């Protein structure tokens, strides 16, 4: 349901107003996948930063 290349929150909110229960579940599942993806990126960034600090010490 989420187009990651052209995500427009205003358009998405408008589309959700008329979404079916199945559409809302799909949207929620997409958000959950994005949440996990962003958490993994955040964790990787922290590890790389810490490794960089250790290598300089």
């Amino acid at each position: 349901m989420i187009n990651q290349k052209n995500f427009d929150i205003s358009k998405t909110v408008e589309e959700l107003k008329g979404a079916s229960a199945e559409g809302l579940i799909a949207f929620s599942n997409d958000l959950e996948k994005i949440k996990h993806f962003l958490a993994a990126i955040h964790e990787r960034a922290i590890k790389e930063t810490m490794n960089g600090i250790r290598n300089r010490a």
Side-chain angles (χ1 to χ4, degrees):
M1 182 171 208
I2 295 177
N3 180 347
Q4 296 173 5
K5 291 183 181 178
N6 299 315
F7 184 71
D8 178 351
I9 190 66
S10 299
K11 184 177 179 184
T12 301
V13 169
E14 287 300 316
E15 290 173 357
L16 287 174
K17 288 181 181 177
S20 65
E22 292 83 12
L24 293 173
I25 290 169
F27 180 74
S28 177
N29 289 339
D30 286 349
L31 289 177
E32 191 66 26
K33 289 175 189 174
I34 291 169
K35 179 178 126 182
H36 289 289
F37 175 72
L38 292 174
I41 290 172
H42 181 76
E43 185 176 322
R44 180 179 172 189
I46 290 171
K47 285 180 183 178
E48 289 181 5
T49 300
M50 294 306 294
N51 286 338
I53 291 170
R54 286 186 196 120
N55 290 338
R56 284 185 260 159

